[in-house]
Amino acid sequence: MGIHIFIAILIFAMALVLAIPVSALMKKTYAGERNFLDFMLPFENFIYRMCRINPVKEMNGKQYLVTLMVIQVFWFVIGFMVLLLQGLLFLNPAHVSGMEWTLALNSTISFLTSTNLQHYSGEAQATYLSQMLVFMFLQFVSAATSLCAGVGIVRGLSSGSSKSLGNFYADFVRSCTRILLPLCVLTAVIFVFSGMPMTFNGPKDVVTLQGDTAHVALGPVAAMIPIKELGSNGGGFYGANCAHPFENPDFFTFILHIILVMLLPVAFVFFIGRYLGQKRFSRMLLVVMIAGFLLSALPIIHSEVAGNPQMAAMGVSQPSGNMEGKEVRFGGFYSAFYSGVNMVIPAGTVTGMHDSYMPLSSLGMLIGMQVDAFFGGLGTGWINMFIFLVIAVFIGSQMIGRTPELMGRKISLKDIQIVLVLSILSLSVPLILTAISTFVYSHAQTGSPTLAWLSNTGPHGFTTMLYEYVSCMAGNGSEFSGLGNNTPYWNLTTCIPMLMGRYLPIIGAFMIIGSYRMRIYTPPSSGVLKVDSYTFGAFLFSLIVILSVLSMFVVFMLGPISEALLMGK
């Protein structure tokens, strides 16, 4: 066990170390400073000319937000139409038919919002064209959009009197050409040499050692996996995701997957300090996020390593912990560690089936997804943390009798109203949808094929449905495999939290930062609440736990906690 813990700490440390130079590149990129990727400038200018974009035009908060939102509609239409018509288009050697419309709608929204919830199986229900033109493309543009949104909020906190948040188009193009694309190309090459398929040939029939004939799906896998991890996306080429050996050939690629998932969200924290000249503030955020990561990951690791108490009661030895639903190449500890990372950073990739994890493991998963600010998604995790930050500054300032002020500008009553609405919606939307689904399922006619959702009833069945909606709201996209979710009901209802969880925080944050930039800037004095101290960090962490974790305690009692008690653990 000791060596496993050491390796996990080493992997985490490697991600932190690699994030430092990446954050420096991000700062130079978004500040318009010269860097070693300036050779991409002619290509970027070509894009601007082709699209008739003025990359130096300054945008205020409203203009930046409207531009960000409008372009989403364009990408949605392209993705939706391709999935409907994929059976008639090229790059379809397996002769896959077009998607049913509710599945196509769900899949497009899922990848557009960087949720990457997959109610389909990639190797069986998507063509090579769909995998690249829809899923891989949307993973790129959704990740770049997330970066732009996060960068816009960071710019809004900077000193100075300008109302500008930069130019969305310039930020978007540079996010692709100078951050995402170079890292993806480098990583894809490593994956190819590690044995990951990269071909446009159709599936192959191979004879196994047992003499059976197996239908092996191939495809341009290595091109898709890097952006899946780097962009906090998580959509796999195969239905089994990272448990599939073609997506995760060996332990080296397993480690690389974890580092890639963490790299840019951690680098963004360092970027905040570099861009604002507030490195102490970014270090405080880093400590808070690491504490939150441990809060979510430790219950998962502990529960899986301890094993199933009902198996132990039967005298069954579990030296590797609970191995049900796990990838045997990596074992219980590393599978649990992988899940812990992918809950706080909502890539949602899996090396095992979460439906088979222990009840308290699902509790840790739900906490990590519900908060979605302990690193969180690329760019959007910072936006969620910004929302908590506004609440913490307001309450903390009132406690010490000071005017609420964040980095030189006052926080208004309207700001508080916005963040409170966002906080309430983030909690209530998954709960309302779970309540509706529980009612529908409980009153369904026995044997109805369209409503036979659950492979488990009771607390586990409740957790299964709750997990689906919390995962969608958090942009995570992982799910319990015990839910039969490729039905019109689940395809349509999960679109609601995916859209709300993605765009409401962005809209709310830009509403705040737009008016925030119009206020008079005064250098912070000793009379205001210091947001870069570790004392404030402890207060911020406590506030997040109260708002996002304790507020869900009753719901947790109905699901994972009740199941754990029934199992005798």
Side-chain angles (χ1 to χ4, degrees):
M1 173 62 85
I3 186 63
H4 297 326
I5 295 174
F6 174 76
I7 292 175
I9 294 174
L10 186 60
I11 294 172
F12 191 89
M14 289 172 62
L16 290 178
V17 171
L18 292 173
I20 295 174
V22 174
S23 69
L25 173 63
M26 294 172 68
K27 195 266 182 179
K28 291 180 179 180
T29 297
Y30 296 115
E33 300 173 1
R34 294 181 61 84
N35 59 71
F36 71 96
L37 290 174
D38 283 344
F39 68 88
M40 297 293 292
L41 187 59
F43 177 60
E44 294 166 355
N45 289 333
F46 172 76
I47 295 175
Y48 299 142
R49 287 195 301 271
M50 289 291 294
C51 299
R52 298 182 179 181
I53 292 171
N54 180 5
V56 297
K57 180 182 178 182
E58 299 292 333
M59 296 180 177
N60 59 29
K62 182 178 179 180
Q63 293 168 328
Y64 199 102
L65 175 63
V66 169
T67 305
L68 184 153
M69 295 297 294
V70 169
I71 202 170
Q72 308 293 304
V73 179
F74 178 72
W75 293 327
F76 168 78
V77 172
I78 294 177
F80 185 56
M81 295 306 298
V82 170
L83 292 181
L84 287 177
L85 302 174
Q86 65 177 0
L88 304 175
L89 301 175
F90 53 96
L91 287 180
N92 186 11
H95 306 291
V96 177
S97 60
M99 280 191 182
E100 185 267 334
W101 77 270
T102 63
L103 179 59
L105 177 71
N106 180 278
S107 300
T108 307
I109 291 176
S110 173
F111 280 77
L112 180 69
T113 58
S114 198
T115 307
N116 291 204
L117 179 76
Q118 294 179 284
H119 285 179
Y120 67 93
S121 181
E123 65 268 40
Q125 294 172 278
T127 67
Y128 291 172
L129 180 68
S130 297
Q131 294 276 27
M132 294 188 299
L133 186 58
V134 179
F135 301 134
M136 187 169 68
F137 172 75
L138 288 180
Q139 286 187 101
F140 263 101
V141 297
S142 64
T145 301
S146 300
L147 266 173
C148 293
V151 169
I153 301 303
V154 173
R155 283 205 189 101
L157 291 176
S158 61
S159 60
S161 58
S162 173
K163 299 176 184 178
S164 171
L165 296 183
N167 183 287
F168 171 78
Y169 295 117
D171 289 340
F172 178 82
V173 171
R174 286 181 294 190
S175 295
C176 292
T177 59
R178 304 200 180 199
I179 306 296
L180 298 174
L181 190 59
L183 289 172
C184 285
V185 170
L186 176 63
T187 308
V189 172
I190 298 174
F191 279 148
V192 168
F193 280 102
S194 298
M196 200 174 287
M198 184 61 201
T199 178
F200 288 102
N201 294 331
K204 289 187 177 182
D205 291 329
V206 298
V207 178
T208 67
L209 294 176
Q210 294 177 325
D212 300 324
T213 300
H215 195 62
V216 180
L218 300 173
V221 183
M224 182 175 178
I225 303 307
I227 190 59
K228 154 187 164 177
E229 306 291 16
L230 285 163
S232 304
N233 291 303
F237 192 94
Y238 297 98
N241 210 280
C242 283
H244 197 290
F246 286 176
E247 285 198 27
N248 201 355
D250 51 37
F251 194 69
F252 170 75
T253 58
F254 175 84
I255 294 174
L256 190 55
H257 273 285
I258 297 177
I259 293 175
L260 292 176
V261 166
M262 299 183 62
L263 181 62
L264 290 181
V266 175
F268 199 93
V269 178
F270 292 129
F271 159 76
I272 295 170
R274 290 179 182 273
Y275 194 93
L276 297 177
Q278 299 274 355
K279 293 186 178 181
R280 181 177 170 85
F281 174 69
S282 67
R283 287 195 295 267
M284 180 276 294
L285 289 179
L286 181 65
V287 171
V288 170
M289 291 178 178
I290 291 175
F293 166 70
L294 295 175
L295 175 68
S296 174
L298 289 181
I300 302 174
I301 296 173
H302 178 267
S303 295
E304 298 309 307
V305 171
N308 190 323
Q310 294 184 337
M311 297 283 285
M314 293 187 292
V316 177
S317 175
Q318 303 174 78
S320 298
N322 173 34
M323 285 301 295
E324 180 186 347
K326 302 294 192 307
E327 168 54 71
V328 295
R329 294 178 298 161
F330 309 128
F333 178 90
Y334 292 110
S335 295
F337 176 62
Y338 193 92
S339 296
V341 170
N342 280 276
M343 294 302 105
V344 296
I345 299 175
T349 64
V350 296
T351 56
M353 297 300 105
H354 289 173
D355 190 46
S356 296
Y357 278 55
M358 300 303 297
L360 295 185
S361 296
S362 61
L363 177 63
M365 296 174 190
L366 288 168
I367 290 173
M369 292 189 297
Q370 181 63 47
V371 174
D372 196 21
F374 296 143
F375 295 113
L378 176 58
T380 54
W382 152 244
I383 288 178
N384 292 322
M385 179 59 77
F386 171 73
I387 292 169
F388 286 120
L389 188 65
V390 172
I391 299 174
V393 169
F394 179 80
I395 295 176
S397 298
Q398 297 299 313
M399 291 173 66
I400 63 173
R402 303 292 184 182
T403 301
E405 187 175 306
L406 177 62
M407 295 195 178
R409 290 183 172 89
K410 290 181 172 57
I411 295 175
S412 69
L413 178 60
K414 182 180 178 181
D415 298 338
I416 299 302
Q417 292 171 336
I418 292 172
V419 296
L420 288 179
V421 169
L422 293 175
S423 298
I424 292 171
L425 287 175
S426 69
L427 290 168
S428 61
V429 170
L431 299 185
I432 292 172
L433 290 170
T434 302
I436 293 172
S437 298
T438 303
F439 177 84
V440 171
Y441 182 81
S442 300
H443 290 76
Q445 294 182 356
T446 303
S448 173
T450 59
L451 294 175
W453 300 334
L454 301 175
S455 59
N456 294 279
T457 56
H460 190 89
F462 176 81
T463 303
T464 299
M465 293 188 287
L466 173 67
Y467 188 102
E468 184 84 358
Y469 289 123
V470 172
S471 174
C472 290
M473 194 74 185
N476 186 282
S478 63
E479 54 193 352
F480 273 28
S481 55
L483 178 66
N485 47 22
N486 187 12
T487 64
Y489 178 89
W490 284 101
N491 287 338
L492 294 176
T493 58
T494 50
C495 289
I496 299 171
M498 284 193 291
L499 290 169
M500 295 183 72
R502 170 67 166 182
Y503 296 115
L504 286 183
I506 292 177
I507 293 171
F510 272 90
M511 289 175 64
I512 294 172
I513 212 67
S515 60
Y516 177 88
R517 290 298 294 177
M518 300 177 67
R519 298 165 198 160
I520 298 174
Y521 173 80
T522 56
S525 65
S526 58
V528 300
L529 181 66
K530 293 184 177 181
V531 296
D532 60 356
S533 69
Y534 292 106
T535 301
F536 177 79
F539 176 71
L540 175 63
F541 177 79
S542 301
L543 182 74
I544 294 172
V545 171
I546 292 171
L547 290 178
S548 292
V549 180
L550 295 185
S551 298
M552 296 279 287
F553 182 75
V554 174
V555 183
F556 293 155
M557 281 295 299
L558 293 174
I561 296 179
S562 292
E563 185 182 2
L565 293 174
L566 290 173
M567 291 184 68
K569 184 177 181 178

